[in-house]
Amino acid sequence: MPSARFSLIATLALAACAQMGGSSAPAGGGMAAKTAEGIPLGATGPHPVRALPDRPRFGQPVSEADLAAWNIDVRTSDGQGLPAGQGSVAEGQKVYAAKCIACHGADAKGGAVYGTMVGGIGSFTTNARVLTPGSMYPYAPILFDYIRRSMPMDRPQTLTANEVYAVSAYILNLNGLVPGDAVMDAASMPKVQMPNRNGFMVDDRPDAKAVRCMTDCK
């Protein structure tokens, strides 16, 4: 009986193999499995492999001209990076009325979206600080940099350099920091003495300083 049972199992195994690897078997010695109803389940066997490139393809080098449109940062302590152009207080009042007043209100005293941008000078030494460009910024070019990057809120970076200089001149004048006939440009703006220039301290904690490593880095 054991030998008969073994013969039956072997016969069934051979029949199954014949059903799976019959005439439908793929070329190259692969196996095409099927269900009891004869539906193919897939195939295995050799398949072509796409050759890898001889080197990674990371794009193309970026030139200084390509970066020019993105390189708009200003070193606010001395104005390095300020663009060519100029704008007067009177011109800034017109630009402000056309593109800024809806959010900042008349005379930059606060509107529907933002609070005042005027006054508060000297308040940073008290517990009732009023945050305005005149009371907070240590350097005037910060005002130019912020306006150029972020304003108007619904169309940032659409103002020309002349318009940004003009609006900056107007806001500085409203804060009493430049006269009514002032003209702001890359030379005059860094010279504006901001009241809070000495109101900041350098963070010299060891964990706030990093030294760039270029060779033998660990």
Side-chain angles (χ1 to χ4, degrees), residues 118-134:
V118 178
I121 293 176
S123 66
F124 266 55
T125 61
T126 72
N127 292 327
R129 294 179 297 173
V130 179
L131 275 64
T132 71

Side-chain angles (χ1 to χ4, degrees), residues 134 137-140 177-178 188-197:
Y137 293 172
Y139 307 108
L177 302 177
V178 298
S188 62
M189 196 159 197
K191 296 178 181 178
V192 177
Q193 294 298 310
M194 302 299 284
N196 201 37
R197 173 167 291 194

Side-chain angles (χ1 to χ4, degrees), residues 82-209:
L82 284 170
Q86 65 177 24
S88 67
V89 173
E91 292 167 338
Q93 186 175 14
K94 295 177 182 179
V95 176
Y96 183 91
K99 302 184 179 183
C100 310
I101 196 170
C103 292
H104 293 278
D107 301 321
K109 292 181 179 179
V113 179
Y114 295 106
T116 183
M117 289 193 293
V118 178
I121 293 176
S123 66
F124 266 55
T125 61
T126 72
N127 292 327
R129 294 179 297 173
V130 179
L131 275 64
T132 71
S135 70
M136 180 176 64
Y137 293 172
Y139 307 108
I142 295 175
L143 182 60
F144 181 98
D145 186 67
Y146 182 79
I147 294 173
R148 178 166 65 163
R149 290 177 184 276
S150 307
M151 296 292 137
M153 183 178 66
D154 59 338
R155 298 183 305 278
Q157 298 186 29
T158 59
L159 296 177
T160 66
N162 288 346
E163 289 176 321
V164 179
Y165 277 123
V167 172
S168 299
Y170 178 59
I171 293 174
L172 291 172
N173 173 254
L174 291 175
N175 279 276
L177 302 177
V178 298
D181 60 353
V183 175
M184 291 292 101
D185 57 22
S188 62
M189 196 159 197
K191 296 178 181 178
V192 177
Q193 294 298 310
M194 302 299 284
N196 201 37
R197 173 167 291 194
N198 298 319
F200 292 81
M201 58 184 296
V202 177
D203 188 351
D204 58 357
R205 294 173 297 175
D207 58 342
K209 182 179 181 180

Side-chain angles (χ1 to χ4, degrees), residues 5-24:
R5 184 178 302 162
F6 176 79
S7 297
L8 177 59
I9 293 174
T11 301
L12 292 174
L14 289 173
C17 289
Q19 183 178 8
M20 294 175 65
S23 59
S24 61

